[in-house]
């Protein structure tokens, strides 16, 4: 995709040598843009830390400081969140784990997820602790269990951290996830005004299809807002709208009068969800009905990624709960099975209701993805039946697709233990507009 003028200027400034002077006139001349466009780009570069305005000197290209990602919790912060005690590795507490791994699987399986710089959340499993340390992974030992001398000596030899927490694995994982979530919602929101393109190419209501073709050739774009003489938005026209129309056909006869309008103060995270789910490629930014800017889906996605980075596999609570489950050969329905562990239990030693609902909900997702390669978001989940399930019980979860329509689907999910039903629910989900490119692996 071709970069906008605004993005081209930012790239140009970033490529300048450290110490170079940056001015509006210099940028406008070098890149053949208006001084207003150059000024806005320089201000954003200053906000990003590429340049700095120095009194009596001017604006100078500086070496920016790498921004710390909001997800980069240090081991010191992890220790505080889990109310833990640091056993060893005090000098390395400022490190940020690049991955969280829960030792809730067989050793040969767990090894695939271990990597240098990760943090392994583990209970009183001596073998798992040793394997993690040998892979240069620090330890967060749950349940208040004390590591033995061999484990401590190996951690010190490998310059790794061991943290001991009094809480169980599931509680510690929930506390860490909650801390990450709190950081995300406290982060300053990116607004539409921050990313919109203000130098908008547009057509007037009295333009023709031939005018659209000329503007499309000059700008390499195919979607344009349509405005009246006072810049009031009256519609949007795309290549699909003009296809097959005569060159002298008025734009107002083929345009779509129902453009997707957003305000300058709308949060990008909210707009991104609407554009993805409703299939809008561009959104028109208007102020009291007047055109002031435009944003594309690509602009929105890039901004959204700055706010909330996609989590890696195995780091979300959903995937952590499912990490101990496996597929069952079932030609008719999606079936998975696994054991209820201590990390999934409540205060009474039975499977937590929240964990069971999570497993059932994810089974529905997987069933929909495997059979139809579709993605969905839950709108309603009704739990009809739930019996206490003891820790150590092997359960089987089966998802049956009752109805798959264009936009919605109904999935019935049953949980059985020892051939007896212990839980049953109905999941209603909204289906995304596009099929998955490749099947998600769980």
């Amino acid at each position: 995709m071709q970069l906008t003028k605004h993005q081209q200027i930012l790239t140009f400034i970033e490529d300048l040598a450290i110490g170079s002077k940056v001015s509006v006139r210099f940028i406008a001349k070098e890149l053949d843009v208006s001084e207003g466009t150059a000024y806005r780009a320089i201000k954003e570069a200053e906000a990003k830390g590429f340049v700095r305005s120095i009194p009596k000197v001017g604006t100078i290209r500086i070496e920016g400081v790498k921004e710390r990602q909001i997800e980069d919790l240090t081991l010191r912060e992890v220790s505080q969140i889990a109310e833990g005690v640091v056993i060893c590795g005090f000098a390395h507490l400022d490190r940020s784990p690049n991955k969280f791994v829960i030792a809730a699987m067989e050793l040969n399986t767990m090894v695939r997820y271990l990597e240098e710089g990760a943090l392994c959340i583990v209970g009183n499993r001596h073998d798992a602790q040793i394997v993690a340390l040998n892979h240069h992974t620090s330890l967060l030992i749950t349940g208040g269990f004390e590591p033995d001398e061999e484990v401590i000596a190996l951690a010190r030899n490998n310059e790794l951290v061991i943290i001991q927490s009094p809480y169980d694995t599931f509680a510690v994982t929930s506390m860490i996830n909650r801390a990450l979530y709190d950081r995300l919602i406290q982060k300053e929101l990116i607004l539409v005004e921050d990313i919109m393109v203000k130098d908008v190419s547009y057509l007037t209501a009295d333009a023709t299809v031939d005018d659209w073709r000329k503007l499309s050739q000059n700008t390499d774009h195919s979607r344009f807002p349509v405005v009246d003489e006072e810049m009031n938005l009256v519609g949007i026209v795309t290549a699909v709208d003009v296809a097959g129309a005569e060159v002298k056909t008025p734009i107002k006869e083929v345009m779509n009068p129902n453009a997707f309008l957003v305000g300058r103060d709308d949060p990008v995270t909210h707009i991104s969800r609407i554009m993805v789910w409703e299939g809008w490629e561009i959104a028109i930014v208007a102020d009291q009905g007047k055109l002031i800017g435009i944003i594309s889906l690509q602009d929105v996605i890039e901004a959204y990624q700055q706010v909330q980075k996609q989590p890696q596999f195995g780091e979300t609570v959903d995937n952590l709960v499912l990490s101990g489950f496996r597929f069952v050969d079932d030609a008719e329905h999606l079936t998975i099975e696994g054991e209820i562990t201590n990390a999934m239990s409540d205060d009474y030693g039975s499977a937590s209701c929240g964990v069971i609902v999570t497993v059932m909900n994810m089974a529905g997702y997987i069933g929909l993805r495997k059979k139809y390669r579709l993605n969905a978001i839950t709108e309603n989940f009704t739990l009809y039946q739930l019996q206490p399930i003891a820790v150590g019980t092997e359960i089987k979860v089966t998802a049956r697709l009752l109805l798959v329509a264009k936009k919605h689907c109904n999935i019935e999910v049953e949980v059985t233990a020892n051939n007896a039903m212990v839980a049953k629910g109905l999941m209603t989900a909204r289906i995304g507009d596009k099929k998955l490119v490749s099947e998600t692996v769980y």
Side-chain angles (χ1 to χ4, degrees):
M1 175 179 278
Q2 186 177 3
L3 295 177
T4 64
K5 290 182 180 179
H6 187 78
Q7 292 170 326
Q8 291 175 10
I9 298 172
L10 288 176
T11 302
F12 178 79
I13 294 174
E14 192 173 0
D15 291 339
L16 290 174
I18 304 299
S20 301
K21 283 193 174 183
V22 182
S23 68
V24 171
R25 185 172 299 177
F26 168 71
I27 296 296
K29 181 179 178 181
E30 288 292 321
L31 299 181
D32 191 23
V33 296
S34 67
E35 292 191 355
T37 301
Y39 175 78
R40 288 191 294 271
I42 291 175
K43 283 300 179 183
E44 181 170 341
E46 186 173 3
K48 289 177 176 290
F50 297 158
V51 299
R52 177 182 297 170
S53 296
I54 303 175
K56 299 182 181 181
V57 175
T59 303
I60 304 295
R61 172 72 172 95
I62 62 173
E63 185 173 0
V65 179
K66 182 181 178 182
E67 235 181 86
R68 182 187 171 204
Q69 294 296 324
I70 198 164
E71 293 89 349
D72 291 342
L73 289 174
T74 64
L75 292 173
R76 187 187 310 278
E77 290 170 320
V78 170
S79 174
Q80 294 170 349
I81 292 167
E83 299 181 17
V85 176
V86 179
I87 304 298
C88 65
F90 294 92
H92 312 298
L93 289 176
D94 290 329
R95 294 176 181 172
S96 294
N98 53 31
K99 187 178 183 180
F100 292 91
V101 179
I102 290 188
M105 58 194 86
E106 298 293 334
L107 287 181
N108 56 352
T109 303
M110 188 180 79
V111 168
R112 293 186 298 174
Y113 300 98
L114 295 174
E115 60 183 58
E116 184 174 354
L119 177 65
C120 181
I121 303 175
V122 60
N124 60 337
R125 292 182 59 188
H126 178 270
D127 54 351
Q129 295 172 7
I130 294 296
V131 168
L133 292 173
N134 283 329
H135 283 77
H136 300 279
T137 299
S138 295
L139 299 179
L140 173 53
I141 301 177
T142 60
F145 295 109
E146 293 276 352
D148 60 27
E149 290 300 325
E150 179 186 2
V151 171
I152 296 175
L154 182 57
R156 287 173 175 165
N157 184 60
N158 291 344
E159 297 183 344
L160 297 170
V161 176
I162 297 180
I163 302 170
Q164 178 196 43
S165 173
Y167 298 101
D168 61 58
T169 301
F170 189 78
V172 167
T173 305
S174 300
M175 294 162 77
I176 293 174
N177 273 276
R178 182 66 194 179
L180 292 175
Y181 176 75
D182 288 343
R183 283 192 170 202
L184 288 172
I185 62 177
Q186 289 171 2
K187 186 174 181 179
E188 183 180 2
L189 291 176
I190 298 178
L191 303 179
V192 166
E193 186 178 27
D194 299 325
I195 67 168
M196 72 180 186
V197 177
K198 297 180 181 179
D199 296 330
V200 185
S201 299
Y202 59 87
L203 292 168
T204 57
D206 57 358
T208 63
V209 170
D210 188 49
D211 294 324
W212 175 90
R213 292 180 178 176
K214 292 177 181 178
L215 186 59
S216 180
Q217 291 175 355
N218 292 334
T219 61
D220 292 327
H221 296 300
S222 62
R223 300 175 178 86
F224 303 103
V226 182
V227 299
D228 60 18
E229 296 179 353
E230 297 180 353
M231 293 301 290
N232 293 309
L233 187 73
V234 295
I236 184 172
V237 61
T238 70
V240 175
D241 298 324
V242 302
E246 297 291 334
V247 293
K248 295 183 178 180
T249 303
I251 283 295
K252 60 184 177 182
E253 293 184 7
V254 296
M255 71 179 187
N256 180 1
N258 301 314
F260 177 42
L261 293 181
V262 299
R264 65 166 77 231
D265 295 326
D266 290 340
V268 169
T269 48
H270 173 66
I271 298 303
S272 69
R273 294 185 180 93
I274 297 177
M275 295 185 76
V276 169
W277 284 108
E278 300 298 333
W280 292 102
E281 292 292 335
I282 64 171
I284 310 301
V285 189
D287 185 4
Q288 296 183 350
K290 295 185 181 295
L291 173 68
I292 60 172
I294 192 171
I295 57 174
S296 68
L297 181 58
Q298 184 64 35
D299 297 330
V300 172
I301 291 175
E302 290 176 359
Y304 181 77
Q305 289 173 341
Q306 296 176 29
V307 177
Q308 187 169 7
K309 186 173 65 178
Q310 281 286 351
Q312 296 178 354
F313 170 76
E315 292 184 2
T316 65
V317 171
D318 290 349
N319 284 327
L320 291 172
V321 170
L322 282 180
S323 62
F325 282 76
R326 54 197 176 274
F327 286 109
V328 176
D329 188 12
D330 187 340
E332 187 176 359
H333 306 294
L334 183 282
T335 302
I336 58 176
E337 62 181 11
E339 180 183 347
I340 299 298
T341 64
N342 287 325
M344 301 178 180
S345 65
D346 56 20
D347 293 339
Y348 302 100
S350 300
S352 166
C353 177
V355 169
I356 294 299
V357 171
T358 296
V359 173
M360 296 171 69
N361 193 59
M362 290 301 293
Y365 280 138
I366 300 171
L368 189 64
R369 291 184 179 187
K370 286 186 70 68
K371 188 167 184 178
Y372 293 102
R373 298 168 66 84
L374 292 171
N375 207 346
I377 182 169
T378 302
E379 288 188 332
N380 183 55
F381 192 98
T382 303
L383 188 63
Y384 291 113
Q385 176 183 347
L386 177 61
Q387 297 179 9
I389 308 172
V391 171
T393 303
E394 282 278 341
I395 63 172
K396 184 179 293 187
V397 186
T398 301
R400 297 180 176 85
L401 304 180
L402 302 181
L403 171 67
V404 180
K406 184 178 180 180
K407 288 291 185 181
H408 292 81
C409 64
N410 294 334
I411 306 172
E412 183 182 65
V413 187
E414 291 185 354
V415 181
T416 59
N418 299 322
N419 296 322
M421 185 186 301
V422 293
K424 185 174 182 178
L426 179 65
M427 170 183 172
T428 302
R430 180 176 181 179
I431 298 174
D433 290 328
K434 296 182 180 180
K435 288 191 174 184
L436 297 172
V437 175
S438 60
E439 185 176 298
T440 304
V441 178
Y442 285 87

